[in-house]
Amino acid sequence: METSVQARDPDERGYRIGAVSRLTGIPVPTIRMWERRYQMIVPSRSDVGARLYSAREVERLSLLKAAVDAGHAIGTVVFLPDEDIRARLERSGLRRAPAGERCRVVVIGRALGNRLIREWSGRPMLDLDAIYTHGELPPSGESIDALVLDCATLQTPQVRTVLDLAARFRPRLTVVVYGFASRATLRRLNRDGITAVRAPVDPAHLARVCLMSLNLVPPEVAEGVERLLVREVPARRFDEGALETVSTLQSSIKCECPQHLADLLTGLNAFEQYSLECESADARDGATHALLYSAAAQCRHLLENALEHVLEREDLKRHVLSG
């Protein structure tokens, strides 16, 4: 996060607390609470008793704000030297955005996107590059800083969609604007590195959230097998009932390949769902489970193709109720 001071408070002897709040993005009550609880900064006072902060103190507060935004509890970093906090930020995948860099935002959700076009008009550093409906997807290979999804509710299907899109397009930051969601769902999204914002959303606040993406190091570009694993997860073609039917069919060539494929697919379906719902201790665990989920889905898709081929070859597909 950029911590250099950009604007001087009118009081030349220091920055008043309102100016410090604007410069650092820390609410005034939070600044006061940090001072009272941790005594990490003791500002001077003006003739009328107003707090006055030095440039060095503003830099320190900005650094603490960056650490908190990166997921560190204030109590774990407030007493650390600046260099130790910066080291933690580097390990968290943060960077300083180059001067003049603009944030490319893609929105999925036509109503929210149109509102942001109106509200963000003329806002510096933000480019609302494209708006899609939920039935559309951005072109593969697009470079996205912030991907914003508008979701009225967050249930398992919506969470799966969010994770799939985050894995496929690898934006610096994925934001979900939601109406209703359980606490468990929100905790899961947080562990998976997804930022959730409750609707109705303040466009100015959402702009600040998106601009955070400029300080995040983008995920590594997948190569080889990993590129396959982060593709969009295909929908299932054989449900549990269809697989149970396959397991009872008799092959004309007296082999049990359809039954074996049905057994494998049943296991993959279960593991795919398990990976989607498995608890994660942190964002790294969440990324691992997302990879396992995608890997199971891609394997399942390949075996579904094989099973469909076998059923057609043996003229058994008509016996399967779904597929």
Side-chain angles (χ1 to χ4, degrees):
M1 174 174 288
E2 183 62 56
T3 59
S4 61
V5 176
Q6 300 290 331
R8 186 67 171 170
D9 188 83
D11 192 320
E12 290 300 326
R13 292 169 297 174
Y15 297 85
R16 293 181 183 272
I17 194 168
V20 174
S21 178
R22 292 192 298 273
L23 289 164
T24 63
I26 306 173
V28 168
T30 301
I31 296 174
R32 289 176 175 154
M33 184 271 288
W34 286 2
E35 291 177 18
R36 183 175 62 254
R37 180 174 297 178
Y38 303 110
Q39 292 85 46
M40 80 296 192
I41 287 177
V42 182
S44 60
R45 298 279 177 167
S46 69
D47 294 339
V48 296
R51 288 175 169 84
L52 295 176
Y53 298 79
S54 68
R56 174 69 188 84
E57 289 168 335
V58 176
E59 293 278 355
R60 172 71 176 175
L61 285 168
S62 295
L63 190 60
L64 291 171
K65 175 65 161 55
V68 170
D69 287 345
H72 299 283
I74 182 63
T76 66
V77 295
V78 69
F79 299 114
L80 294 177
D82 288 3
E83 56 270 22
D84 289 354
I85 298 177
R86 291 191 178 96
R88 287 195 178 198
L89 291 178
E90 289 177 2
R91 291 195 295 271
S92 299
L94 295 186
R95 65 171 192 144
R96 287 178 178 267
E101 184 172 359
R102 298 180 65 85
C103 176
R104 185 186 176 207
V105 182
V106 169
V107 178
I108 297 180
R110 186 71 63 183
L112 176 61
N114 289 335
R115 182 186 175 198
L116 294 179
I117 286 178
R118 296 191 300 269
E119 298 289 341
W120 286 0
S121 177
R123 181 176 284 272
M125 298 179 66
L126 277 172
D127 289 328
L128 207 170
D129 191 78
I131 301 173
Y132 298 89
T133 66
H134 282 276
E136 300 173 317
L137 286 178
S140 299
E142 293 285 332
S143 174
I144 300 172
D145 292 314
L147 177 64
V148 178
L149 298 98
D150 188 18
C151 296
T153 61
L154 282 175
Q155 302 291 342
T156 298
Q158 289 81 21
V159 170
R160 178 182 295 182
T161 297
V162 171
L163 295 177
D164 288 350
L165 290 172
R168 179 179 181 182
F169 296 103
R170 300 202 167 195
R172 296 179 189 270
L173 182 68
T174 302
V175 183
V176 178
V177 178
Y178 71 96
F180 299 94
S182 67
R183 292 179 180 178
T185 296
L186 295 178
R187 286 195 296 269
R188 166 149 194 204
L189 289 175
N190 182 64
R191 287 193 299 266
D192 289 335
I194 308 297
T195 299
V197 179
R198 182 72 181 269
V201 64
D202 176 11
H205 173 66
L206 187 55
R208 290 191 293 271
V209 171
C210 290
L211 286 171
M212 286 171 51
S213 67
L214 296 180
N215 298 106
L216 300 174
V217 177
E220 294 180 359
V221 177
E223 297 293 344
V225 174
E226 288 189 358
R227 185 177 295 278
L228 172 68
L229 296 184
V230 299
R231 290 189 336 199
E232 183 179 7
V233 173
R236 292 184 184 178
R237 301 203 324 250
F238 297 93
D239 60 20
E240 292 181 5
L243 293 175
E244 185 175 355
T245 299
V246 170
S247 67
T248 65
L249 296 177
Q250 297 296 319
S251 170
S252 62
I253 58 175
K254 308 300 181 183
C255 77
E256 297 181 354
C257 287
Q259 291 83 355
H260 292 320
L261 286 170
D263 289 343
L264 288 170
L265 283 168
T266 299
L268 280 172
N269 287 342
F271 184 73
E272 184 180 342
Q273 187 66 25
Y274 170 80
S275 299
L276 180 65
E277 299 174 351
C278 192
E279 293 293 328
S280 302
D282 51 31
R284 180 173 294 182
D285 280 355
T288 298
H289 288 132
L291 182 64
L292 292 175
Y293 163 67
S294 182
Q298 300 299 342
C299 291
R300 182 254 304 159
H301 182 59
L302 291 173
L303 287 181
E304 284 177 334
N305 286 338
L307 178 57
E308 195 167 64
H309 175 80
V310 170
L311 293 176
E312 289 177 349
R313 172 67 178 80
E314 297 298 313
D315 196 23
L316 295 172
K317 191 173 180 178
R318 68 182 184 279
H319 298 290
V320 181
L321 297 180
S322 63

